[in-house]
Amino acid sequence: MASEYTYSPRMDFFIERVDRATGFEMPCFHIHHKYEIYYEIEGTRRYFIEDAAYIVNAGSVVLIGDNQIHKTASVGDMPSSRIVLNFSAEYLGKIAEIFPEVDFFSFLSEEHNHLLSNITVKQQNHIYSMLQQLLELQEQTSAEGEAVRKMLLATLLLELKDLCKQQQAQGGESGRVSNHIVEQIQTYIAEHYAEKLTLTGIASQFYISPYYLSRLFKKSINLSLIEYINGVRIKAAQNLIEKTNESISDISEKTGFLTTAHFRRVFKDATGLSPQQYRQYYKRLSK
């Protein structure tokens, strides 16, 4: 049950450790108004974030910004262990107010910071130790425990921010998976997501076979073509739900979904909320 709450928009802070004896792939991409810190303890994973995929080895840290699409999958059928932490900007609101000159969050959303891989074993152990402390504080309900948890999280963010700067100075991360054809297709989808898109139609635009396109897309970014298209459409729908009063059926049509029922199902799978719940929740949040 706990893992369901990892992506719940109603929780401002959540951390968990999961150990798996065999391979595992998330059944659906996720998107939430939370930041995420993911630490790979053991094993190797493939991680899709926004428009790119990364190979994540033990000791690496994945950083995900607010409202960024992501999905993880196994590389082979080997054991793996990870710690994942989700939190909202509001959770550290008071600390951010005390230090208005400090930007605690924006580095998490920057593409060149998604994978923190060029760090020493000593640095890996230090990050792991801080996450372990946050895990132990998860059950603390006292005001003192809450204060320690928030201060420790703020400290972790500043240390990760500094490590990201160091990695950039050293030439950047080295785990990104790239493919020129896939990047061209992603650009095409961004421009045409509101239209009817099919595997055959897109393949013909790039003079490749549907079979090759399907295999290439899945291998390169860990999502099927339709999953990726749905992700682009859901992000566009979120923007309309948050910023307009248009009906859910109109938004569904404008963002390329063939039926409102299909839109509702994909939206809830991705965000944990129905489109109506999402609108109600974030309208309250923005007041």
Side-chain angles (χ1 to χ4, degrees), residues 13-16 133-140 149:
F13 177 91
F14 183 84
I15 185 170
E16 70 170 3
Q133 292 178 63
L134 286 166
L135 273 169
E136 292 167 5
L137 288 165
Q138 171 87 326
E139 304 304 322
Q140 290 279 347
R149 185 162 58 236

Side-chain angles (χ1 to χ4, degrees), residues 4-279:
E4 294 179 16
Y5 289 109
T6 305
Y7 307 104
S8 171
R10 297 182 178 89
M11 295 189 71
D12 283 329
F13 177 91
F14 183 84
I15 185 170
E16 70 170 3
R17 172 174 175 159
V18 172
D19 304 298
R20 292 190 172 93
T22 58
F24 170 78
E25 179 166 352
M26 288 169 58
C28 174
F29 62 83
H30 284 288
I31 181 170
H32 42 69
H33 277 294
K34 295 286 186 295
Y35 298 100
E36 184 165 309
I37 299 170
Y38 176 107
Y39 181 81
E40 190 71 18
I41 302 168
E42 178 189 4
T44 299
R45 305 283 293 170
R46 182 185 290 266
Y47 219 122
F48 167 77
I49 309 168
E50 289 289 282
D51 290 325
Y54 304 83
I55 298 298
V56 182
N57 294 308
S60 294
V61 184
V62 177
L63 304 174
I64 300 172
D66 173 76
N67 219 38
Q68 293 187 323
I69 293 175
H70 54 284
K71 182 183 179 183
T72 145
S74 301
V75 176
D77 195 30
M78 302 297 291
S80 64
S81 300
R82 55 81 165 158
I83 295 174
V84 65
L85 164 62
N86 296 150
F87 64 94
S88 66
E90 291 76 19
Y91 184 71
L92 291 181
K94 290 184 178 179
I95 291 179
E97 287 176 10
I98 295 171
F99 301 101
E101 72 283 4
V102 178
D103 183 350
F104 287 93
F105 310 112
S106 65
F107 79 98
L108 295 162
S109 301
E110 295 172 9
E111 184 177 345
H112 57 263
N113 289 338
H114 282 324
L115 178 61
L116 189 53
S117 57
N118 297 337
I119 51 179
T120 67
V121 173
K122 183 178 179 180
Q123 291 166 337
Q124 292 171 15
N125 290 338
H126 181 59
I127 293 167
Y128 177 63
S129 175
M130 296 181 78
L131 290 170
Q132 284 283 81
Q133 292 178 63
L134 286 166
L135 273 169
E136 292 167 5
L137 288 165
Q138 171 87 326
E139 304 304 322
Q140 290 279 347
T141 57
S142 66
E144 290 81 2
E146 181 79 351
V148 173
R149 185 162 58 236
K150 288 182 177 180
M151 288 188 287
L152 183 57
L153 175 57
T155 302
L156 174 62
L157 288 173
L158 293 180
E159 294 195 13
L160 289 172
K161 183 178 181 180
D162 186 59
L163 288 174
C164 286
K165 289 179 181 177
Q166 291 180 37
Q167 178 169 271
Q168 281 303 107
Q170 295 166 4
E173 54 82 18
S174 56
R176 178 168 175 164
V177 180
S178 61
N179 183 283
H180 182 60
I181 296 176
V182 169
E183 290 171 358
Q184 289 181 311
I185 294 169
Q186 288 172 321
T187 299
Y188 178 83
I189 291 169
E191 294 171 351
H192 299 276
Y193 69 85
E195 304 167 16
K196 182 180 179 180
L197 295 176
T198 65
L199 177 65
T200 302
I202 294 174
S204 67
Q205 289 287 330
F206 292 89
Y207 305 101
I208 57 178
S209 74
Y211 175 76
Y212 177 72
L213 170 57
S214 179
R215 283 177 56 85
L216 179 66
F217 223 81
K218 184 69 175 178
K219 182 178 179 180
S220 297
I221 65 169
N222 191 40
L223 291 182
S224 69
L225 181 67
I226 190 59
E227 279 185 297
Y228 183 81
I229 293 171
N230 282 342
V232 174
R233 287 171 170 166
I234 290 298
K235 287 203 76 170
Q238 278 184 308
N239 185 58
L240 290 172
I241 291 172
E242 291 177 22
K243 296 180 179 179
T244 75
N245 291 316
E246 294 185 50
S247 70
I248 299 303
S249 59
D250 284 348
I251 290 172
S252 170
E253 184 178 351
K254 278 189 174 181
T255 52
F257 287 93
L258 294 180
T259 68
T260 304
H262 182 229
F263 168 62
R264 293 178 195 274
R265 183 169 64 254
V266 174
F267 193 94
K268 187 167 186 178
D269 284 345
T271 67
L273 297 172
S274 70
Q276 292 91 339
Q277 289 171 327
Y278 186 90
R279 171 168 276 167

